[in-house]
Amino acid sequence: MAILVTGGTGYIGSHTVVQLLQNGYDVAIIDNFSNSKPEVLERITQITGKTPRFYEGDILDGKKLDMIFDNENIDAVIHFAGLKSVAESVQKPELYISNNVGGTMVLLKYMAKHNVKNLVFSSSATVYGVPKHVPLCEDDEVGGCTNPYGQTKLDIEFLLKDYAKIHKDANIAILRYFNPIGAHPCGLIGEDPNGIPNNLMPYITQVAVGKRDHLNVFGSDYKTHDGTGVRDYIHVVDLARGHLCALKKLEEKPGLVIYNLGTGKGTSVLDLVKAFEQVNNIKIPYVICDRRPGDVDENYANCDKAYKEMGFKTELDIFDACRDSWNWQKKNPNGYDK
């Protein structure tokens, strides 16, 4: 089975490509390296002993997509490609709309042209906006996104629902990720953010490796057990496995389906810091700062549907993720830049 992975050299994309290759899938990647490095391809080959076919380019380039679909006998697309910085999206909302939503529209156009019916889309728990309750279920209300990045994910979900109504033979799995952390246990691939990390774990590991003096903890007065925000942190290797479960689900021709991918458990910021300190025997200095606008008390998933309908269940915990994140960072203190 041949899979085209858009954004396949990114953080989640690269881990998913490894899972695909290790499970016998034929893989082609398109990526423009806007948030990744060419070195990732060599690392994927080191881990798997296999080299995915690679096309450097942008999914907004219809001619490039046309050429790929002409060259490759693609059975399904896993769609990761997109800009993902919340802060940047606030500054440049039009860029995020044109790139994320526009890119998906171009991709769908050429999938339809080449009769590719199966798609797995990388969505986000941000589509739920400010949760009215936890845990969050797939049929809970969406909307009220707190930033343009999240809004593009929701807009793409609506686009895919409209596409599925027109293309009755399309099979689409929308996967709503919660908070991916961790790295491949071998330490060859991991999260390598541009500039100051937007996410908690790479910030912790950069403090641990000495690149930053301390961790800023935004808010200590949330209605949680220790006053810090609670999120659902899922190991990236588990998340990658979820895409294989989704591909198998699409073989049943289910039409459009939506699944949360998380652990179903909430972990606070300080819980994660303490877990990192415990498993790696490293002290992480932190400073309590003011809350950030838009942050909520708790956000975690109900994952029953993913287990019942596609057999997905996490196998790794936050201690595994903390160990693997530190293993990646200490082996690659400057990320993929040698």
Side-chain angles (χ1 to χ4, degrees):
M1 192 174 186
I3 312 297
L4 175 63
V5 183
T6 75
T9 60
Y11 173 46
I12 301 169
S14 61
H15 286 83
T16 302
V17 168
V18 165
Q19 289 288 320
L20 290 167
L21 292 171
Q22 289 179 333
N23 284 273
Y25 288 91
D26 185 30
V27 179
I29 296 171
I30 178 172
D31 206 311
N32 64 3
F33 296 126
S34 65
N35 197 38
S36 61
K37 305 281 173 52
E39 174 72 16
V40 175
L41 293 165
E42 297 174 28
R43 304 288 186 92
I44 289 171
T45 301
Q46 281 182 257
I47 295 169
T48 65
K50 301 174 182 177
T51 302
R53 292 179 301 288
F54 179 75
Y55 299 87
E56 185 170 357
D58 196 302
I59 60 168
L60 283 162
D61 183 349
K63 290 182 179 178
K64 175 73 74 170
L65 288 177
D66 214 15
M67 180 268 289
I68 293 171
F69 284 118
D70 275 337
N71 287 353
E72 306 280 348
N73 187 23
I74 299 298
D75 298 293
V77 176
I78 301 181
H79 179 30
F80 295 107
L83 299 173
K84 65 174 188 175
S85 167
V86 169
E88 184 183 51
S89 78
V90 173
Q91 298 298 320
K92 302 175 181 178
E94 69 289 341
L95 174 64
Y96 273 65
I97 294 166
S98 62
N99 187 88
N100 294 5
V101 182
T104 304
M105 292 175 68
V106 176
L107 177 64
L108 290 173
K109 174 183 175 180
Y110 286 93
M111 284 181 64
K113 177 180 176 181
H114 292 271
N115 202 31
V116 179
K117 304 181 191 307
N118 301 307
L119 175 69
V120 179
F121 172 59
S122 158
S123 192
S124 166
T126 58
V127 301
Y128 292 112
V130 179
K132 293 182 173 62
H133 64 89
V134 287
L136 287 159
C137 298
E138 289 86 348
D139 58 359
D140 282 334
E141 183 180 349
V142 295
C145 299
T146 56
N147 55 75
Y149 160 74
Q151 186 63 45
T152 65
K153 291 294 188 183
L154 185 58
D155 290 346
I156 293 169
E157 286 198 11
F158 288 139
L159 172 63
L160 294 176
K161 289 175 183 178
D162 289 339
Y163 181 87
K165 289 175 185 174
I166 297 167
H167 299 267
K168 304 293 186 184
D169 55 354
N171 299 293
I172 300 171
I174 293 172
L175 304 181
R176 292 174 178 165
Y177 308 162
F178 278 69
N179 296 72
I181 58 173
H184 196 277
C186 71
L188 284 171
I189 58 173
E191 189 169 9
D192 182 20
N194 291 329
I196 299 172
N198 289 306
N199 297 324
L200 177 59
M201 183 60 85
Y203 211 115
I204 290 173
T205 60
Q206 288 191 10
V207 172
V209 84
K211 291 183 76 171
R212 306 196 182 276
D213 293 335
H214 64 271
L215 170 70
N216 291 321
V217 176
F218 296 102
S220 60
D221 59 349
Y222 289 102
K223 295 175 183 177
T224 61
H225 67 276
D226 63 12
T228 62
V230 167
R231 300 293 182 268
D232 189 338
Y233 296 101
I234 178 172
H235 197 299
V236 67
V237 172
D238 274 333
L239 185 63
R241 285 194 309 103
H243 295 77
L244 273 67
C245 294
L247 285 175
K248 290 185 171 66
K249 181 66 181 179
L250 294 187
E251 291 176 17
E252 301 173 14
K253 296 182 170 49
L256 186 142
V257 288
I258 301 174
Y259 299 109
N260 288 335
L261 291 187
T263 65
K265 299 175 184 176
T267 300
S268 76
V269 172
L270 292 184
D271 286 338
L272 195 64
V273 170
K274 289 172 185 174
F276 188 92
E277 292 179 332
Q278 179 183 328
V279 77
N280 296 312
N281 196 28
I282 296 173
K283 192 69 179 170
I284 302 296
Y286 63 86
V287 174
I288 302 294
C289 305
D290 291 338
R291 289 191 186 201
R292 293 177 300 193
D295 278 352
V296 299
D297 297 278
E298 294 184 288
N299 189 337
Y300 58 93
N302 180 313
C303 303
D304 292 348
K305 185 181 177 188
Y307 179 66
K308 289 175 183 174
E309 295 191 10
M310 61 177 188
F312 173 75
K313 190 175 184 181
T314 56
E315 298 174 355
L316 303 166
D317 59 24
I318 60 167
F319 295 98
D320 297 311
C322 288
R323 182 181 57 250
D324 294 339
S325 292
W326 176 230
N327 183 46
W328 150 255
Q329 187 74 79
K330 68 184 177 184
K331 288 180 176 177
N332 305 271
N334 298 309
Y336 291 107
D337 294 324
K338 296 179 181 177

